């Protein structure tokens, strides 16, 4: 039996706060549909105090902003983007196009076509997530997307130069200083100045996530996202100090970010809680991390490794960090997660910032049915078929007629009948002409 040393707030409290978000987002989207650019400008002024002559940066403006970024920052951006690009290329190489002859003259095939326009949302606000430009834009470009529109908000009325540099170096075709629901809605429905996109990817706050949810179907999205989550799995070999530091590394994302520890060791559990309480007061981001830990932090003690993995799969968390003697066992035992981080040498922050795998990952239990953003998300896997052999045409035509009439689809049946008639001279008793 699991013992819970630390509980999170009831889910009902979280649900109640989402209702207000849904209502606000719905109103903003409807207004932008109706009034377009005028509404976009009003919401940008209201939420970001930002109303430039043009939200889209010109090529000259981009070059000037990039030139203002320190050389070391540019070098680091290039290095990380190459890690993301390399991994995305490996993913693309794993996706095989093929054509196979299943019967004489019957060819079936599969190919991958990139979406023609993608939107990349790069969060700003308190934390300008420069790395999200790598994850969304680089991956889209590896997939072959010809037009990538990238949006990021200003930060306290200032241009986030490093983020703009990352967007530019990643290959964005359009860079807009526009954030929040207004950016997502403009990319999705289009305005007089922004042509709509086919798919939007990238993380964001609760309002951005809700906007993507409401617009899904009209456009594609990468996945349904919520607050960042971390689940640390630990046995008696784990260092409680490392457990605490890594839990807080994700809690600082926001006051609603869950940070959970499951361990087989009571000593590790108790010492981790003590380390969190020791570190938190001196953490510069404690105004976010402290309420996240207070309201959404959990610590579970289990009796066995089997119970640990069973409970971990129930959580289906975004990030799962395995601080155990045999971390690679998680590759066999874990079935529901966004990304695994194996062993003490591998932290979730590596995945967030530098290692090359994509950090746009499923939250709120979505790992039960999807993985994270990857090159395949920007591709449409389509099929084609061709019948050139008359014998196969007759065979399939007759079969189609019989199968369709079982389902009472006479129109389908007749389409098959015609092929059999053309190929083999079959009669068409229903054709009275």
């Amino acid at each position: 039996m699991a013992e819970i040393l630390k509980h999170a707030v009831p889910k009902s409290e979280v649900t109640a706060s989402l209702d207000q978000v849904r209502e606000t987002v719905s109103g903003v989207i409807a207004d932008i549909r109706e009034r377009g650019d005028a509404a976009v400008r009003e919401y940008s002024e209201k939420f970001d105090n930002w109303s430039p002559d043009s939200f889209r940066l010109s090529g000259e403006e981009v070059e000037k902003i990039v030139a203002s970024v320190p050389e070391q920052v540019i070098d680091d951006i290039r290095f990380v983007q190459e890690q993301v690009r390399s991994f995305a290329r490996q993913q693309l190489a794993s996706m095989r196009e093929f054509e196979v002859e299943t019967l004489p003259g019957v060819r079936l095939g599969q190919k991958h076509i990139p979406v023609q326009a993608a939107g990349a949302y790069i969060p700003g606000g308190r934390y300008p997530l420069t790395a999200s430009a790598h994850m969304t834009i680089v991956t889209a470009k590896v997939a072959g997307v010809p037009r990538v529109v990238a949006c990021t908000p200003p930060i306290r009325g200032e241009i986030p130069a490093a983020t703009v540099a990352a967007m530019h170096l990643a290959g964005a075709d359009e860079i807009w200083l526009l954030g929040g629901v207004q950016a997502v809605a403009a990319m999705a429905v289009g305005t007089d100045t922004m042509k709509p996109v086919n798919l939007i990817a990238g993380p964001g706050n609760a309002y951005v996530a809700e906007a993507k949810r409401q617009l899904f179907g009209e456009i594609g999205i990468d996945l349904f996202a919520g607050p960042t989550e971390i689940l640390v799995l630990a046995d008696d070999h784990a260092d409680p100090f490392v457990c605490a530091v890594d839990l807080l590394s994700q809690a600082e994302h926001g006051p609603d970010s869950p940070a959970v520890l499951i361990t087989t060791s009571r000593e590790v559990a108790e010492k981790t809680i003590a380390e969190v309480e020791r570190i938190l007061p001196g953490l510069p981001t404690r105004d976010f991390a402290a309420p996240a830990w207070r309201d959404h932090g959990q610590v579970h003690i289990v009796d066995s490794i089997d119970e640990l993995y069973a409970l971990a799969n129930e959580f289906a968390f975004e990030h799962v960090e395995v601080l155990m003697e045999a971390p690679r066992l998680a590759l066999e035992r874990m079935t529901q997660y966004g990304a695994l981080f194996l062993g003490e040498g591998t932290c979730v922050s590596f995945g967030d910032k530098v290692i090359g795998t994509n950090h746009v990952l499923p939250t709120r239990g979505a790992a039960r049915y999807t993985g994270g953003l990857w090159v395949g998300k920007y591709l449409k896997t389509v099929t084609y078929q061709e019948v050139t052999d008359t014998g196969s045409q007759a065979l399939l035509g007759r079969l189609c007629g019989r199968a369709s009439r079982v389902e009472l689809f006479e129109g389908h049946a007749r389409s098959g009948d015609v092929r059999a008639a053309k190929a083999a001279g079959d009669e068409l008793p229903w054709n009275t002409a």
Side-chain angles (χ1 to χ4, degrees):
M1 290 292 292
E3 177 185 352
I4 304 177
L5 287 192
K6 186 181 184 310
H7 291 264
V9 296
K11 288 185 178 181
S12 58
E13 295 185 22
V14 177
T15 302
S17 67
L18 292 176
D19 292 339
Q20 184 270 329
V21 172
R22 293 190 182 102
E23 183 177 349
T24 299
V25 169
S26 178
V28 172
I29 292 174
D31 196 14
I32 290 174
R33 285 189 192 279
E34 182 176 349
R35 297 194 297 122
D37 285 325
V40 168
R41 185 166 295 277
E42 285 182 18
Y43 289 115
S44 182
E45 289 177 340
K46 177 180 179 180
F47 297 127
D48 291 325
N49 194 28
W50 183 253
S51 183
D53 292 338
S54 172
F55 291 104
R56 181 178 176 179
L57 295 177
S58 67
E60 294 78 10
E61 288 173 318
V62 171
E63 292 292 344
K64 184 177 179 180
I65 293 167
V66 173
S68 74
V69 179
E71 184 177 352
Q72 183 65 64
V73 174
I74 294 295
D75 288 346
D76 290 345
I77 288 173
R78 291 186 187 277
F79 177 86
V80 175
Q81 289 188 349
E82 186 52 36
Q83 310 316 301
V84 176
R85 187 175 294 110
S86 176
F87 190 74
R89 284 172 174 163
Q90 290 296 322
Q91 290 182 321
L92 182 62
S94 75
M95 301 179 66
R96 190 169 68 92
E97 294 186 341
F98 65 86
E99 181 176 286
V100 60
E101 188 173 21
T102 59
L103 294 167
V106 178
R107 297 176 183 86
L108 310 182
Q110 170 179 290
K111 63 181 298 185
H112 308 296
I113 302 174
V115 298
Q116 295 302 289
Y121 187 82
I122 293 86
R126 174 169 180 169
Y127 299 133
L129 294 187
T130 302
S132 290
H134 320 331
M135 308 301 173
T136 53
I137 302 168
V138 169
T139 308
K141 283 302 181 181
V142 170
V145 178
R147 174 176 171 249
V148 177
V149 179
C151 288
T152 196
I155 300 176
R156 294 178 291 277
E158 299 292 332
I159 295 173
T163 302
V164 171
M167 296 157 90
H168 172 67
L169 294 172
D173 300 287
E174 300 174 23
I175 297 177
W176 297 68
L177 286 181
L178 186 64
V181 177
Q182 59 270 24
V184 175
M187 287 190 285
V189 307
T191 69
D192 288 339
T193 57
M194 184 189 291
K195 293 181 180 179
V197 300
N198 309 126
L199 179 147
I200 294 177
N205 63 19
Y207 292 90
V208 168
E210 176 61 18
K212 288 166 62 181
R213 190 190 70 82
Q214 291 190 20
L215 289 161
F216 176 60
E218 184 172 351
I219 55 155
I221 64 172
D222 47 358
L223 45 80
F224 295 113
T228 293
E229 304 164 341
I230 181 171
L231 174 61
V232 173
L233 307 182
D235 57 17
D236 55 7
H237 290 79
D239 183 343
F241 174 69
V242 174
C243 293
V245 168
D246 290 353
L247 288 166
L248 292 177
S249 74
Q250 297 300 299
E252 74 176 358
H253 272 278
D256 52 356
S257 293
V260 178
L261 170 69
I262 304 175
T263 179
T264 55
S265 167
R266 175 173 296 276
E267 180 180 5
V268 169
E270 292 175 347
K271 286 186 175 181
T272 296
I273 293 173
E275 288 286 359
V276 168
E277 293 171 352
R278 182 182 66 83
I279 296 168
L280 253 179
L283 187 66
T285 51
R286 61 185 175 276
D287 55 336
F288 275 5
W293 176 250
R294 181 193 65 217
D295 296 338
H296 303 283
Q298 299 181 49
V299 176
H300 297 252
I301 303 173
V302 295
D303 293 329
S304 67
I305 296 296
D306 288 343
E307 192 175 355
L308 179 146
Y309 281 119
L311 182 57
N313 281 316
E314 287 182 20
F315 272 96
F317 258 24
E318 176 186 19
H319 305 107
V320 179
E321 190 172 286
V322 187
L323 303 180
M324 302 175 71
E325 183 180 22
R328 292 183 68 86
L329 180 62
L331 292 170
E332 302 173 17
R333 304 296 296 274
M334 290 297 300
T335 58
Q336 300 190 149
Y337 59 90
L340 282 178
F341 300 82
L342 303 175
E344 189 179 278
T346 319
C347 61
V348 171
S349 296
F350 282 179
D352 280 348
K353 307 299 182 186
V354 298
I355 208 167
T357 50
N358 208 293
H359 78 193
V360 182
L361 298 166
T363 64
R364 295 193 185 279
R368 290 177 288 108
Y369 59 83
T370 187
L373 180 61
W374 70 300
V375 71
K377 182 62 70 171
Y378 294 100
L379 297 169
K380 300 172 290 183
T381 299
V382 298
T383 60
Y384 61 91
Q385 39 273 310
E386 180 183 35
V387 182
T388 58
D389 180 84
T390 55
S392 293
Q393 184 177 322
L395 170 68
L396 293 173
R398 293 163 186 155
L399 178 60
C400 181
R402 295 193 301 271
S404 297
R405 289 187 172 97
V406 168
E407 297 177 345
L408 306 182
F409 274 89
E410 182 61 26
H412 284 65
R414 292 181 179 188
S415 187
D417 294 347
V418 167
R419 269 64 192 181
K422 288 271 188 177
D426 288 21
E427 295 184 2
L428 299 175
W430 47 264
N431 182 24
T432 59

